[in-house]
Amino acid sequence: MSDKVHQGHRARKRFGQNFLNDPYVIDGIVAAINPLSGENLVEIGPGLGALTEPVTEQVDHLNVVELDRDLAARLRSHPFMGPKLTVHEADAMAFDFAELANQGPLRIFGNLPYNVSTPLMFHLFSFADHVQDMHFMLQKEVVKRLAAGPGTKAYGRLTVMAQYYCKVVPVLEVPPSAFKPAPKVDSAVVRLVPHKTLPHPVTNLSWLERVCREGFNQRRKTIRNGFKSLVDVDTLTELGIDPSLRPENMTLAQFSSLANWLDANHS
Ligand code: SAM
């Protein structure tokens, strides 16, 4: 049988379909999630049910969001999982997760399609208020970026925005051999726990997004030059930001205080 056909389904590359196929890895992820009956679990991209099946054994009900029509139909009619599932045949990047939060704080998990994982996470951060925690399988490089500290190569826009909303905890590394078909990259599981109180809140999120975008688009410029059109050197110094460093050296607290200064001083 072709490597791309798994349980009678031909993996669709455009949907980032790499199905988990290693019972130890699956057990490890489910143990990390620790689903409990009565909790409001939501899976993104359940696929053929590698994670869905063990999770439905532990909970009464599970919402799943799956874009592939064939897989959504398979899950709905599955003899054991089907009755416990509400299958939303939808694009998770446009899905209103707040709609599911009336059943309690969301515990979202998934082995995410790698081709859309970054925009999908940005979409999910906007629902952070409704979320208890999230567990995702991602490309290992993306987990490194989520967990990175200032001054490292992996530190960037995704890091700052993720850490603005969430505590980031890498959980498990996973080799390509755990999937069918095997992806070309290493993978890792990460836990994201939204802060109950934001440690460095901003008055206007669009300024934080803008300083991140501008700062990390020109990583080699100094802070002074990178933000020249927005803020002068004296103000940067007053905010405790060394203008001679690079934006990648700025902490989340510094990005937030710059965003707040801009919100107060620019129309
Ligand atoms: N959870 C399964 C597993 O671990 O074996 C499948 C994981 S596979 C990497 C990604 C899954 O996400 C596929 O089932 C794919 O069809 C689905 N998917 C891809 N893009 C999606 C999107 N935008 N919204 C929802 N599901 C999507």
Side-chain angles (χ1 to χ4, degrees):
M1 197 194 286
S2 154
D3 191 40
K4 297 205 168 58
V5 178
H6 186 48
Q7 294 180 22
H9 173 83
R10 175 166 289 277
R12 294 187 165 106
K13 215 172 165 182
R14 71 176 189 284
F15 289 158
Q17 291 179 352
N18 298 94
F19 300 104
L20 268 168
N21 192 37
D22 179 325
Y24 295 101
V25 171
I26 293 169
D27 283 355
I29 298 170
V30 176
I33 300 170
N34 189 24
L36 299 175
S37 103
E39 290 182 331
N40 190 8
L41 283 118
V42 182
E43 181 175 6
I44 298 177
L48 292 159
L51 297 171
T52 325
E53 190 160 353
V55 170
T56 48
E57 279 167 17
Q58 299 187 35
V59 298
D60 319 310
H61 174 254
L62 175 63
N63 281 294
V64 301
V65 183
E66 173 58 64
L67 184 58
D68 184 320
R69 191 199 312 168
D70 296 343
L71 293 176
R74 260 177 88 132
L75 287 160
R76 276 193 195 102
S77 58
H78 190 279
F80 309 114
M81 291 186 271
K84 284 191 173 185
L85 300 179
T86 302
V87 180
H88 305 270
E89 189 189 313
D91 179 353
M93 282 199 287
F95 190 79
D96 179 8
F97 287 88
E99 234 177 55
L100 307 178
N102 55 1
Q103 297 152 37
L106 303 171
R107 302 199 64 208
I108 304 178
F109 68 98
N111 169 16
L112 297 188
Y114 292 172
N115 49 348
V116 295
S117 64
T118 299
L120 182 51
M121 274 188 291
F122 278 106
H123 179 60
L124 289 164
F125 294 150
S126 66
F127 299 99
D129 279 355
H130 299 290
V131 174
Q132 179 177 328
D133 59 19
M134 304 186 268
H135 291 83
F136 294 132
M137 172 86 77
L138 297 161
Q139 213 174 309
K140 189 170 137 188
E141 290 311 309
V142 176
V143 172
K144 275 196 188 150
R145 283 163 53 198
L146 289 167
T152 62
K153 231 173 123 188
Y155 190 73
R157 187 167 83 99
L158 180 63
T159 317
V160 174
M161 295 313 296
Q163 295 183 13
Y164 177 78
Y165 288 109
C166 301
K167 184 172 95 168
V168 179
V169 187
V171 172
L172 187 77
E173 294 195 358
V174 181
S177 58
F179 303 84
K180 229 175 151 186
K184 291 201 172 66
V185 293
D186 286 327
S187 302
V189 177
V190 70
R191 173 183 297 133
L192 301 166
V193 185
H195 302 297
K196 290 216 162 66
T197 309
L198 293 174
H200 304 291
V202 293
T203 45
N204 184 341
L205 204 54
S206 51
W207 275 115
L208 181 63
E209 283 161 355
R210 179 156 170 202
V211 288
C212 282
R213 230 180 5 254
E214 295 201 4
F216 291 113
N217 271 351
Q218 16 190 354
R219 294 180 77 104
R220 291 165 57 167
K221 284 197 180 171
T222 57
I223 293 170
R224 171 197 291 122
N225 288 334
F227 296 128
K228 197 161 58 187
S229 63
L230 293 174
V231 61
D232 61 36
V233 168
D234 291 344
T235 304
L236 285 167
T237 311
E238 273 165 35
L239 293 172
I241 299 169
D242 180 345
S244 66
L245 295 179
R246 300 213 160 108
E248 70 195 39
N249 298 109
M250 284 170 59
T251 61
L252 166 61
Q254 290 173 326
F255 273 107
S256 294
S257 63
L258 177 55
N260 285 338
W261 184 88
L262 289 164
D263 189 36
N265 291 281
H266 276 251
S267 50

